[in-house]
Amino acid sequence: MNRVPVLLAVTFAACAPSSLTDQLARASWVDLTYPFDSTTIYWPTAKPFRLEVVSAQRTAAGYYYAANNFAAAEHGGTHLDAPVHFAEGRLATDQIPVTRLTGSAVVIDVSSQADADRDFRVAPADLEAWERVHTPILEGTVVLIRTGWGSRWPDRARYLGTTMTGPAAVPELHFPGIHPDAAAGWSHTRRAPWASTRRASTMGSPPRSTPTRSCSPPTSRRSRTWRICPRSPQPGRL
């Protein structure tokens, strides 16, 4: 099945102020999404992607007719937790201003830490260490977390830590995430519009009693499971 564009990263060349139209015309667009198909990884208790071919042939009337039915859980693959997920009483995806989903970004690479500890969670100290080497994370900056987990896609055992499904699988999950303290620091003190990670959940594993996604203000958002790509942003500022 064709890839569904969910998350796109845009980089602009440094230049004098210009119109948005000019910037878009010069932009380099990088697709960081995964396809939705039989290999798409979902939470163990969620229903997987299903594609039913209704027709892909020439009819008795002589014309060709192609049609499919497809279904899947809301939260799987590359997505923005639509419509609200954990954000009770906050902005639904269709209510978030586009300006909150665009902007300058920083890439924080924690792949070595995640490789050493599959339950690693990004902490405030990791943010501070990154800033000492690079530059302060400015207000309104989009934060991209590179965990290296994209190299494990679509191997469920390596990506999630288990091939089991159903409630019994949840305690067996293992993958990196973001500590609630770090998420609160981005969302409240630095007002990061959203953070994105290359893994199954921003919370990390095993499942936590305080979801990272509940630590953000009404206009903040988390996106996840974006793919590794030779042209994906390098650590630093875009």
mmCIF file of all heavy atoms in Angstrom, residues 15-67:
data_model
loop_
_atom_site.group_PDB
_atom_site.id
_atom_site.type_symbol
_atom_site.label_atom_id
_atom_site.label_comp_id
_atom_site.label_asym_id
_atom_site.label_seq_id
_atom_site.Cartn_x
_atom_site.Cartn_y
_atom_site.Cartn_z
ATOM 1 N N CYS A 15 18.995 32.226 4.789
ATOM 2 C CA CYS A 15 18.881 33.297 3.802
ATOM 3 C C CYS A 15 18.207 34.488 4.446
ATOM 4 O O CYS A 15 17.768 34.430 5.587
ATOM 5 C CB CYS A 15 18.088 32.831 2.584
ATOM 6 S SG CYS A 15 16.421 32.268 2.999
ATOM 7 N N ALA A 16 18.117 35.566 3.706
ATOM 8 C CA ALA A 16 17.435 36.750 4.196
ATOM 9 C C ALA A 16 15.945 36.449 4.328
ATOM 10 O O ALA A 16 15.423 35.546 3.677
ATOM 11 C CB ALA A 16 17.660 37.896 3.208
ATOM 12 N N PRO A 17 15.242 37.182 5.211
ATOM 13 C CA PRO A 17 13.813 36.965 5.384
ATOM 14 C C PRO A 17 13.088 36.986 4.039
ATOM 15 O O PRO A 17 13.338 37.826 3.182
ATOM 16 C CB PRO A 17 13.396 38.152 6.265
ATOM 17 C CG PRO A 17 14.640 38.508 7.013
ATOM 18 C CD PRO A 17 15.753 38.273 6.036
ATOM 19 N N SER A 18 12.192 36.030 3.851
ATOM 20 C CA SER A 18 11.438 35.963 2.614
ATOM 21 C C SER A 18 10.042 35.430 2.917
ATOM 22 O O SER A 18 9.759 35.004 4.032
ATOM 23 C CB SER A 18 12.143 35.053 1.601
ATOM 24 O OG SER A 18 12.293 33.750 2.124
ATOM 25 N N SER A 19 9.192 35.444 1.926
ATOM 26 C CA SER A 19 7.821 35.000 2.125
ATOM 27 C C SER A 19 7.783 33.489 2.326
ATOM 28 O O SER A 19 8.699 32.753 1.936
ATOM 29 C CB SER A 19 6.979 35.378 0.903
ATOM 30 O OG SER A 19 7.358 34.582 -0.210
ATOM 31 N N LEU A 20 6.711 33.019 2.950
ATOM 32 C CA LEU A 20 6.550 31.586 3.173
ATOM 33 C C LEU A 20 6.522 30.843 1.844
ATOM 34 O O LEU A 20 7.074 29.744 1.719
ATOM 35 C CB LEU A 20 5.258 31.326 3.960
ATOM 36 C CG LEU A 20 4.917 29.849 4.227
ATOM 37 C CD1 LEU A 20 6.038 29.180 5.014
ATOM 38 C CD2 LEU A 20 3.593 29.740 4.982
ATOM 39 N N THR A 21 5.913 31.451 0.838
ATOM 40 C CA THR A 21 5.858 30.826 -0.484
ATOM 41 C C THR A 21 7.257 30.602 -1.041
ATOM 42 O O THR A 21 7.570 29.532 -1.573
ATOM 43 C CB THR A 21 5.058 31.700 -1.463
ATOM 44 O OG1 THR A 21 3.721 31.874 -0.963
ATOM 45 C CG2 THR A 21 4.997 31.051 -2.843
ATOM 46 N N ASP A 22 8.123 31.603 -0.896
ATOM 47 C CA ASP A 22 9.501 31.473 -1.364
ATOM 48 C C ASP A 22 10.237 30.391 -0.596
ATOM 49 O O ASP A 22 11.000 29.602 -1.163
ATOM 50 C CB ASP A 22 10.246 32.796 -1.222
ATOM 51 C CG ASP A 22 9.728 33.859 -2.171
ATOM 52 O OD1 ASP A 22 9.117 33.482 -3.197
ATOM 53 O OD2 ASP A 22 9.917 35.056 -1.892
ATOM 54 N N GLN A 23 10.030 30.338 0.717
ATOM 55 C CA GLN A 23 10.694 29.337 1.548
ATOM 56 C C GLN A 23 10.264 27.927 1.153
ATOM 57 O O GLN A 23 11.092 27.015 1.051
ATOM 58 C CB GLN A 23 10.378 29.578 3.027
ATOM 59 C CG GLN A 23 11.021 30.845 3.584
ATOM 60 C CD GLN A 23 10.684 31.046 5.047
ATOM 61 O OE1 GLN A 23 9.756 30.430 5.573
ATOM 62 N NE2 GLN A 23 11.418 31.917 5.703
ATOM 63 N N LEU A 24 8.969 27.751 0.927
ATOM 64 C CA LEU A 24 8.463 26.436 0.544
ATOM 65 C C LEU A 24 8.999 26.021 -0.821
ATOM 66 O O LEU A 24 9.263 24.839 -1.071
ATOM 67 C CB LEU A 24 6.932 26.437 0.540
ATOM 68 C CG LEU A 24 6.254 26.578 1.902
ATOM 69 C CD1 LEU A 24 4.737 26.653 1.733
ATOM 70 C CD2 LEU A 24 6.624 25.412 2.811
ATOM 71 N N ALA A 25 9.167 26.998 -1.704
ATOM 72 C CA ALA A 25 9.666 26.694 -3.040
ATOM 73 C C ALA A 25 11.116 26.215 -2.995
ATOM 74 O O ALA A 25 11.533 25.391 -3.819
ATOM 75 C CB ALA A 25 9.546 27.931 -3.935
ATOM 76 N N ARG A 26 11.879 26.711 -2.015
ATOM 77 C CA ARG A 26 13.288 26.343 -1.905
ATOM 78 C C ARG A 26 13.526 25.211 -0.920
ATOM 79 O O ARG A 26 14.644 24.731 -0.779
ATOM 80 C CB ARG A 26 14.113 27.554 -1.473
ATOM 81 C CG ARG A 26 14.192 28.669 -2.491
ATOM 82 C CD ARG A 26 15.288 29.658 -2.093
ATOM 83 N NE ARG A 26 15.057 30.201 -0.762
ATOM 84 C CZ ARG A 26 14.330 31.293 -0.517
ATOM 85 N NH1 ARG A 26 13.759 31.931 -1.524
ATOM 86 N NH2 ARG A 26 14.190 31.748 0.709
ATOM 87 N N ALA A 27 12.485 24.806 -0.233
ATOM 88 C CA ALA A 27 12.640 23.848 0.861
ATOM 89 C C ALA A 27 13.052 22.464 0.368
ATOM 90 O O ALA A 27 12.768 22.068 -0.764
ATOM 91 C CB ALA A 27 11.329 23.744 1.636
ATOM 92 N N SER A 28 13.703 21.741 1.253
ATOM 93 C CA SER A 28 14.014 20.331 1.022
ATOM 94 C C SER A 28 13.105 19.518 1.930
ATOM 95 O O SER A 28 13.206 19.601 3.153
ATOM 96 C CB SER A 28 15.485 20.055 1.364
ATOM 97 O OG SER A 28 15.767 18.674 1.270
ATOM 98 N N TRP A 29 12.206 18.758 1.331
ATOM 99 C CA TRP A 29 11.212 18.007 2.086
ATOM 100 C C TRP A 29 11.717 16.591 2.330
ATOM 101 O O TRP A 29 12.137 15.902 1.408
ATOM 102 C CB TRP A 29 9.891 17.951 1.331
ATOM 103 C CG TRP A 29 9.233 19.293 1.170
ATOM 104 C CD1 TRP A 29 9.537 20.257 0.260
ATOM 105 C CD2 TRP A 29 8.175 19.815 1.967
ATOM 106 N NE1 TRP A 29 8.732 21.351 0.444
ATOM 107 C CE2 TRP A 29 7.888 21.102 1.479
ATOM 108 C CE3 TRP A 29 7.448 19.320 3.043
ATOM 109 C CZ2 TRP A 29 6.890 21.904 2.028
ATOM 110 C CZ3 TRP A 29 6.455 20.113 3.600
ATOM 111 C CH2 TRP A 29 6.186 21.396 3.084
ATOM 112 N N VAL A 30 11.658 16.156 3.575
ATOM 113 C CA VAL A 30 12.119 14.818 3.937
ATOM 114 C C VAL A 30 10.950 14.041 4.552
ATOM 115 O O VAL A 30 10.399 14.432 5.583
ATOM 116 C CB VAL A 30 13.275 14.886 4.959
ATOM 117 C CG1 VAL A 30 13.768 13.478 5.277
ATOM 118 C CG2 VAL A 30 14.416 15.745 4.418
ATOM 119 N N ASP A 31 10.551 12.962 3.890
ATOM 120 C CA ASP A 31 9.452 12.128 4.373
ATOM 121 C C ASP A 31 9.991 11.185 5.444
ATOM 122 O O ASP A 31 10.826 10.335 5.166
ATOM 123 C CB ASP A 31 8.857 11.343 3.204
ATOM 124 C CG ASP A 31 7.661 10.490 3.622
ATOM 125 O OD1 ASP A 31 7.279 10.523 4.816
ATOM 126 O OD2 ASP A 31 7.117 9.788 2.758
ATOM 127 N N LEU A 32 9.518 11.336 6.669
ATOM 128 C CA LEU A 32 9.986 10.506 7.781
ATOM 129 C C LEU A 32 8.926 9.503 8.235
ATOM 130 O O LEU A 32 8.983 8.983 9.341
ATOM 131 C CB LEU A 32 10.382 11.401 8.964
ATOM 132 C CG LEU A 32 11.507 12.398 8.696
ATOM 133 C CD1 LEU A 32 11.757 13.243 9.935
ATOM 134 C CD2 LEU A 32 12.778 11.664 8.298
ATOM 135 N N THR A 33 7.949 9.230 7.381
ATOM 136 C CA THR A 33 6.856 8.340 7.768
ATOM 137 C C THR A 33 7.110 6.898 7.350
ATOM 138 O O THR A 33 7.913 6.612 6.466
ATOM 139 C CB THR A 33 5.523 8.793 7.148
ATOM 140 O OG1 THR A 33 5.610 8.702 5.715
ATOM 141 C CG2 THR A 33 5.203 10.226 7.530
ATOM 142 N N TYR A 34 6.382 5.992 7.988
ATOM 143 C CA TYR A 34 6.368 4.582 7.611
ATOM 144 C C TYR A 34 5.084 4.295 6.836
ATOM 145 O O TYR A 34 4.064 4.956 7.036
ATOM 146 C CB TYR A 34 6.383 3.696 8.852
ATOM 147 C CG TYR A 34 7.708 3.633 9.554
ATOM 148 C CD1 TYR A 34 7.910 4.324 10.749
ATOM 149 C CD2 TYR A 34 8.751 2.871 9.046
ATOM 150 C CE1 TYR A 34 9.126 4.257 11.411
ATOM 151 C CE2 TYR A 34 9.968 2.808 9.702
ATOM 152 C CZ TYR A 34 10.153 3.488 10.884
ATOM 153 O OH TYR A 34 11.355 3.434 11.528
ATOM 154 N N PRO A 35 5.092 3.266 5.976
ATOM 155 C CA PRO A 35 3.861 2.906 5.268
ATOM 156 C C PRO A 35 2.877 2.220 6.207
ATOM 157 O O PRO A 35 3.280 1.617 7.211
ATOM 158 C CB PRO A 35 4.359 1.934 4.186
ATOM 159 C CG PRO A 35 5.592 1.332 4.767
ATOM 160 C CD PRO A 35 6.233 2.442 5.552
ATOM 161 N N PHE A 36 1.601 2.336 5.897
ATOM 162 C CA PHE A 36 0.586 1.582 6.608
ATOM 163 C C PHE A 36 0.277 0.346 5.775
ATOM 164 O O PHE A 36 -0.279 0.439 4.681
ATOM 165 C CB PHE A 36 -0.681 2.427 6.819
ATOM 166 C CG PHE A 36 -0.544 3.432 7.919
ATOM 167 C CD1 PHE A 36 -0.085 4.711 7.662
ATOM 168 C CD2 PHE A 36 -0.852 3.085 9.224
ATOM 169 C CE1 PHE A 36 0.062 5.640 8.679
ATOM 170 C CE2 PHE A 36 -0.713 4.004 10.251
ATOM 171 C CZ PHE A 36 -0.251 5.279 9.989
ATOM 172 N N ASP A 37 0.662 -0.816 6.294
ATOM 173 C CA ASP A 37 0.441 -2.076 5.602
ATOM 174 C C ASP A 37 0.503 -3.206 6.617
ATOM 175 O O ASP A 37 0.423 -2.971 7.833
ATOM 176 C CB ASP A 37 1.462 -2.275 4.471
ATOM 177 C CG ASP A 37 2.905 -2.198 4.949
ATOM 178 O OD1 ASP A 37 3.163 -2.479 6.139
ATOM 179 O OD2 ASP A 37 3.780 -1.853 4.134
ATOM 180 N N SER A 38 0.664 -4.417 6.153
ATOM 181 C CA SER A 38 0.656 -5.578 7.040
ATOM 182 C C SER A 38 1.827 -5.593 8.015
ATOM 183 O O SER A 38 1.798 -6.319 9.016
ATOM 184 C CB SER A 38 0.657 -6.867 6.207
ATOM 185 O OG SER A 38 1.830 -6.934 5.406
ATOM 186 N N THR A 39 2.866 -4.798 7.755
ATOM 187 C CA THR A 39 4.030 -4.776 8.643
ATOM 188 C C THR A 39 3.960 -3.675 9.689
ATOM 189 O O THR A 39 4.814 -3.606 10.573
ATOM 190 C CB THR A 39 5.334 -4.586 7.830
ATOM 191 O OG1 THR A 39 5.360 -3.268 7.264
ATOM 192 C CG2 THR A 39 5.442 -5.619 6.714
ATOM 193 N N THR A 40 2.975 -2.787 9.620
ATOM 194 C CA THR A 40 2.879 -1.673 10.552
ATOM 195 C C THR A 40 2.733 -2.180 11.986
ATOM 196 O O THR A 40 1.928 -3.069 12.259
ATOM 197 C CB THR A 40 1.679 -0.773 10.208
ATOM 198 O OG1 THR A 40 1.793 -0.347 8.857
ATOM 199 C CG2 THR A 40 1.639 0.445 11.116
ATOM 200 N N ILE A 41 3.507 -1.600 12.893
ATOM 201 C CA ILE A 41 3.490 -2.026 14.289
ATOM 202 C C ILE A 41 2.472 -1.213 15.086
ATOM 203 O O ILE A 41 2.449 0.011 15.010
ATOM 204 C CB ILE A 41 4.892 -1.878 14.909
ATOM 205 C CG1 ILE A 41 5.873 -2.828 14.209
ATOM 206 C CG2 ILE A 41 4.863 -2.159 16.410
ATOM 207 C CD1 ILE A 41 7.305 -2.686 14.672
ATOM 208 N N TYR A 42 1.654 -1.930 15.850
ATOM 209 C CA TYR A 42 0.651 -1.310 16.719
ATOM 210 C C TYR A 42 0.878 -1.765 18.154
ATOM 211 O O TYR A 42 1.588 -2.728 18.416
ATOM 212 C CB TYR A 42 -0.768 -1.697 16.273
ATOM 213 C CG TYR A 42 -1.188 -1.059 14.975
ATOM 214 C CD1 TYR A 42 -0.826 -1.631 13.752
ATOM 215 C CD2 TYR A 42 -1.932 0.110 14.962
ATOM 216 C CE1 TYR A 42 -1.198 -1.034 12.550
ATOM 217 C CE2 TYR A 42 -2.307 0.711 13.766
ATOM 218 C CZ TYR A 42 -1.933 0.126 12.572
ATOM 219 O OH TYR A 42 -2.295 0.722 11.394
ATOM 220 N N TRP A 43 0.261 -1.047 19.085
ATOM 221 C CA TRP A 43 0.297 -1.453 20.477
ATOM 222 C C TRP A 43 -0.257 -2.872 20.596
ATOM 223 O O TRP A 43 -1.178 -3.229 19.855
ATOM 224 C CB TRP A 43 -0.535 -0.470 21.305
ATOM 225 C CG TRP A 43 -0.269 -0.494 22.770
ATOM 226 C CD1 TRP A 43 -1.076 -1.006 23.744
ATOM 227 C CD2 TRP A 43 0.874 0.033 23.453
ATOM 228 N NE1 TRP A 43 -0.513 -0.833 24.987
ATOM 229 C CE2 TRP A 43 0.698 -0.199 24.834
ATOM 230 C CE3 TRP A 43 2.040 0.678 23.019
ATOM 231 C CZ2 TRP A 43 1.635 0.185 25.792
ATOM 232 C CZ3 TRP A 43 2.972 1.060 23.963
ATOM 233 C CH2 TRP A 43 2.762 0.816 25.334
ATOM 234 N N PRO A 44 0.283 -3.684 21.487
ATOM 235 C CA PRO A 44 -0.124 -5.099 21.551
ATOM 236 C C PRO A 44 -1.617 -5.342 21.747
ATOM 237 O O PRO A 44 -2.137 -6.395 21.351
ATOM 238 C CB PRO A 44 0.671 -5.635 22.744
ATOM 239 C CG PRO A 44 1.865 -4.754 22.829
ATOM 240 C CD PRO A 44 1.375 -3.390 22.433
ATOM 241 N N THR A 45 -2.319 -4.388 22.369
ATOM 242 C CA THR A 45 -3.758 -4.580 22.602
ATOM 243 C C THR A 45 -4.610 -3.992 21.477
ATOM 244 O O THR A 45 -5.841 -4.094 21.519
ATOM 245 C CB THR A 45 -4.176 -3.927 23.928
ATOM 246 O OG1 THR A 45 -3.825 -2.539 23.896
ATOM 247 C CG2 THR A 45 -3.481 -4.594 25.103
ATOM 248 N N ALA A 46 -3.988 -3.370 20.479
ATOM 249 C CA ALA A 46 -4.720 -2.723 19.385
ATOM 250 C C ALA A 46 -4.869 -3.670 18.195
ATOM 251 O O ALA A 46 -4.096 -4.611 18.017
ATOM 252 C CB ALA A 46 -4.002 -1.453 18.948
ATOM 253 N N LYS A 47 -5.860 -3.389 17.365
ATOM 254 C CA LYS A 47 -6.064 -4.180 16.158
ATOM 255 C C LYS A 47 -5.083 -3.737 15.078
ATOM 256 O O LYS A 47 -4.855 -2.549 14.884
ATOM 257 C CB LYS A 47 -7.501 -4.020 15.650
ATOM 258 C CG LYS A 47 -8.551 -4.633 16.573
ATOM 259 C CD LYS A 47 -9.943 -4.523 15.982
ATOM 260 C CE LYS A 47 -10.975 -5.187 16.900
ATOM 261 N NZ LYS A 47 -12.340 -5.096 16.329
ATOM 262 N N PRO A 48 -4.497 -4.679 14.367
ATOM 263 C CA PRO A 48 -3.511 -4.333 13.332
ATOM 264 C C PRO A 48 -4.172 -3.830 12.059
ATOM 265 O O PRO A 48 -5.405 -3.845 11.928
ATOM 266 C CB PRO A 48 -2.806 -5.663 13.086
ATOM 267 C CG PRO A 48 -3.873 -6.685 13.353
ATOM 268 C CD PRO A 48 -4.658 -6.134 14.511
ATOM 269 N N PHE A 49 -3.356 -3.382 11.122
ATOM 270 C CA PHE A 49 -3.844 -2.915 9.832
ATOM 271 C C PHE A 49 -4.402 -4.088 9.034
ATOM 272 O O PHE A 49 -3.809 -5.160 8.978
ATOM 273 C CB PHE A 49 -2.701 -2.265 9.053
ATOM 274 C CG PHE A 49 -3.103 -1.698 7.723
ATOM 275 C CD1 PHE A 49 -3.537 -0.386 7.623
ATOM 276 C CD2 PHE A 49 -3.049 -2.474 6.577
ATOM 277 C CE1 PHE A 49 -3.915 0.145 6.401
ATOM 278 C CE2 PHE A 49 -3.418 -1.950 5.351
ATOM 279 C CZ PHE A 49 -3.856 -0.640 5.258
ATOM 280 N N ARG A 50 -5.559 -3.878 8.425
ATOM 281 C CA ARG A 50 -6.189 -4.914 7.606
ATOM 282 C C ARG A 50 -6.578 -4.322 6.253
ATOM 283 O O ARG A 50 -7.183 -3.256 6.187
ATOM 284 C CB ARG A 50 -7.448 -5.463 8.284
ATOM 285 C CG ARG A 50 -7.162 -6.225 9.586
ATOM 286 C CD ARG A 50 -6.636 -7.612 9.294
ATOM 287 N NE ARG A 50 -6.500 -8.412 10.498
ATOM 288 C CZ ARG A 50 -5.352 -8.837 11.001
ATOM 289 N NH1 ARG A 50 -4.221 -8.510 10.393
ATOM 290 N NH2 ARG A 50 -5.321 -9.563 12.093
ATOM 291 N N LEU A 51 -6.197 -4.998 5.195
ATOM 292 C CA LEU A 51 -6.563 -4.574 3.843
ATOM 293 C C LEU A 51 -7.351 -5.691 3.170
ATOM 294 O O LEU A 51 -6.878 -6.827 3.059
ATOM 295 C CB LEU A 51 -5.322 -4.259 3.015
ATOM 296 C CG LEU A 51 -5.567 -3.890 1.545
ATOM 297 C CD1 LEU A 51 -6.322 -2.561 1.452
ATOM 298 C CD2 LEU A 51 -4.256 -3.817 0.783
ATOM 299 N N GLU A 52 -8.568 -5.381 2.739
ATOM 300 C CA GLU A 52 -9.422 -6.340 2.043
ATOM 301 C C GLU A 52 -9.600 -5.879 0.602
ATOM 302 O O GLU A 52 -10.097 -4.777 0.346
ATOM 303 C CB GLU A 52 -10.793 -6.425 2.719
ATOM 304 C CG GLU A 52 -11.782 -7.309 1.990
ATOM 305 C CD GLU A 52 -13.205 -7.154 2.492
ATOM 306 O OE1 GLU A 52 -13.429 -6.344 3.428
ATOM 307 O OE2 GLU A 52 -14.104 -7.811 1.929
ATOM 308 N N VAL A 53 -9.161 -6.679 -0.322
ATOM 309 C CA VAL A 53 -9.313 -6.363 -1.736
ATOM 310 C C VAL A 53 -10.735 -6.707 -2.159
ATOM 311 O O VAL A 53 -11.136 -7.865 -2.141
ATOM 312 C CB VAL A 53 -8.299 -7.132 -2.600
ATOM 313 C CG1 VAL A 53 -8.517 -6.796 -4.082
ATOM 314 C CG2 VAL A 53 -6.874 -6.796 -2.187
ATOM 315 N N VAL A 54 -11.492 -5.694 -2.532
ATOM 316 C CA VAL A 54 -12.865 -5.891 -3.001
ATOM 317 C C VAL A 54 -12.861 -6.311 -4.462
ATOM 318 O O VAL A 54 -13.541 -7.243 -4.877
ATOM 319 C CB VAL A 54 -13.694 -4.606 -2.822
ATOM 320 C CG1 VAL A 54 -15.102 -4.783 -3.395
ATOM 321 C CG2 VAL A 54 -13.754 -4.227 -1.348
ATOM 322 N N SER A 55 -12.050 -5.615 -5.250
ATOM 323 C CA SER A 55 -11.954 -5.931 -6.672
ATOM 324 C C SER A 55 -10.652 -5.384 -7.231
ATOM 325 O O SER A 55 -10.193 -4.317 -6.831
ATOM 326 C CB SER A 55 -13.136 -5.322 -7.442
ATOM 327 O OG SER A 55 -12.999 -5.556 -8.829
ATOM 328 N N ALA A 56 -10.061 -6.143 -8.133
ATOM 329 C CA ALA A 56 -8.871 -5.692 -8.856
ATOM 330 C C ALA A 56 -8.851 -6.436 -10.185
ATOM 331 O O ALA A 56 -7.905 -7.135 -10.524
ATOM 332 C CB ALA A 56 -7.606 -5.961 -8.055
ATOM 333 N N GLN A 57 -9.918 -6.247 -10.942
ATOM 334 C CA GLN A 57 -10.064 -7.010 -12.173
ATOM 335 C C GLN A 57 -11.041 -6.318 -13.126
ATOM 336 O O GLN A 57 -11.709 -5.358 -12.771
ATOM 337 C CB GLN A 57 -10.595 -8.408 -11.843
ATOM 338 C CG GLN A 57 -11.962 -8.390 -11.166
ATOM 339 C CD GLN A 57 -12.405 -9.766 -10.704
ATOM 340 O OE1 GLN A 57 -11.747 -10.758 -10.955
ATOM 341 N NE2 GLN A 57 -13.530 -9.814 -10.028
ATOM 342 N N ARG A 58 -11.095 -6.836 -14.311
ATOM 343 C CA ARG A 58 -12.031 -6.332 -15.300
ATOM 344 C C ARG A 58 -13.392 -6.960 -15.043
ATOM 345 O O ARG A 58 -13.495 -8.153 -14.777
ATOM 346 C CB ARG A 58 -11.543 -6.666 -16.713
ATOM 347 C CG ARG A 58 -12.319 -5.954 -17.827
ATOM 348 C CD ARG A 58 -11.568 -6.024 -19.142
ATOM 349 N NE ARG A 58 -10.302 -5.289 -19.067
ATOM 350 C CZ ARG A 58 -10.210 -3.977 -19.198
ATOM 351 N NH1 ARG A 58 -11.298 -3.240 -19.407
ATOM 352 N NH2 ARG A 58 -9.028 -3.389 -19.112
ATOM 353 N N THR A 59 -14.435 -6.140 -15.072
ATOM 354 C CA THR A 59 -15.785 -6.621 -14.780
ATOM 355 C C THR A 59 -16.409 -7.293 -16.005
ATOM 356 O O THR A 59 -15.874 -7.238 -17.124
ATOM 357 C CB THR A 59 -16.692 -5.450 -14.358
ATOM 358 O OG1 THR A 59 -16.896 -4.593 -15.494
ATOM 359 C CG2 THR A 59 -16.052 -4.643 -13.230
ATOM 360 N N ALA A 60 -17.562 -7.909 -15.753
ATOM 361 C CA ALA A 60 -18.279 -8.567 -16.840
ATOM 362 C C ALA A 60 -18.725 -7.565 -17.891
ATOM 363 O O ALA A 60 -18.913 -7.910 -19.063
ATOM 364 C CB ALA A 60 -19.494 -9.314 -16.285
ATOM 365 N N ALA A 61 -18.871 -6.295 -17.479
ATOM 366 C CA ALA A 61 -19.286 -5.244 -18.415
ATOM 367 C C ALA A 61 -18.115 -4.748 -19.268
ATOM 368 O O ALA A 61 -18.303 -3.932 -20.166
ATOM 369 C CB ALA A 61 -19.896 -4.078 -17.653
ATOM 370 N N GLY A 62 -16.911 -5.226 -18.974
ATOM 371 C CA GLY A 62 -15.780 -4.891 -19.814
ATOM 372 C C GLY A 62 -14.857 -3.790 -19.291
ATOM 373 O O GLY A 62 -13.843 -3.507 -19.914
ATOM 374 N N TYR A 63 -15.184 -3.169 -18.162
ATOM 375 C CA TYR A 63 -14.308 -2.121 -17.638
ATOM 376 C C TYR A 63 -13.567 -2.638 -16.397
ATOM 377 O O TYR A 63 -14.040 -3.526 -15.691
ATOM 378 C CB TYR A 63 -15.095 -0.854 -17.288
ATOM 379 C CG TYR A 63 -16.184 -1.048 -16.248
ATOM 380 C CD1 TYR A 63 -15.901 -0.932 -14.885
ATOM 381 C CD2 TYR A 63 -17.494 -1.335 -16.630
ATOM 382 C CE1 TYR A 63 -16.885 -1.109 -13.932
ATOM 383 C CE2 TYR A 63 -18.494 -1.518 -15.676
ATOM 384 C CZ TYR A 63 -18.184 -1.401 -14.332
ATOM 385 O OH TYR A 63 -19.168 -1.589 -13.397
ATOM 386 N N TYR A 64 -12.400 -2.040 -16.173
ATOM 387 C CA TYR A 64 -11.598 -2.442 -15.018
ATOM 388 C C TYR A 64 -12.096 -1.727 -13.779
ATOM 389 O O TYR A 64 -12.415 -0.538 -13.816
ATOM 390 C CB TYR A 64 -10.123 -2.106 -15.250
ATOM 391 C CG TYR A 64 -9.224 -2.514 -14.099
ATOM 392 C CD1 TYR A 64 -8.781 -3.827 -13.972
ATOM 393 C CD2 TYR A 64 -8.839 -1.575 -13.147
ATOM 394 C CE1 TYR A 64 -7.962 -4.197 -12.919
ATOM 395 C CE2 TYR A 64 -8.025 -1.938 -12.081
ATOM 396 C CZ TYR A 64 -7.592 -3.251 -11.971
ATOM 397 O OH TYR A 64 -6.788 -3.617 -10.926
ATOM 398 N N TYR A 65 -12.157 -2.453 -12.653
ATOM 399 C CA TYR A 65 -12.641 -1.871 -11.404
ATOM 400 C C TYR A 65 -11.740 -2.312 -10.254
ATOM 401 O O TYR A 65 -11.510 -3.507 -10.046
ATOM 402 C CB TYR A 65 -14.076 -2.306 -11.129
ATOM 403 C CG TYR A 65 -14.622 -1.824 -9.809
ATOM 404 C CD1 TYR A 65 -14.770 -0.459 -9.554
ATOM 405 C CD2 TYR A 65 -14.995 -2.733 -8.821
ATOM 406 C CE1 TYR A 65 -15.270 -0.014 -8.342
ATOM 407 C CE2 TYR A 65 -15.505 -2.291 -7.601
ATOM 408 C CZ TYR A 65 -15.640 -0.937 -7.365
ATOM 409 O OH TYR A 65 -16.136 -0.498 -6.172
ATOM 410 N N ALA A 66 -11.188 -1.336 -9.527
ATOM 411 C CA ALA A 66 -10.349 -1.615 -8.357
ATOM 412 C C ALA A 66 -10.922 -0.914 -7.140
ATOM 413 O O ALA A 66 -11.279 0.273 -7.199
ATOM 414 C CB ALA A 66 -8.925 -1.147 -8.594
ATOM 415 N N ALA A 67 -11.029 -1.639 -6.019
ATOM 416 C CA ALA A 67 -11.546 -1.066 -4.778
ATOM 417 C C ALA A 67 -11.074 -1.926 -3.606
ATOM 418 O O ALA A 67 -10.920 -3.143 -3.737
ATOM 419 C CB ALA A 67 -13.067 -0.995 -4.803
#
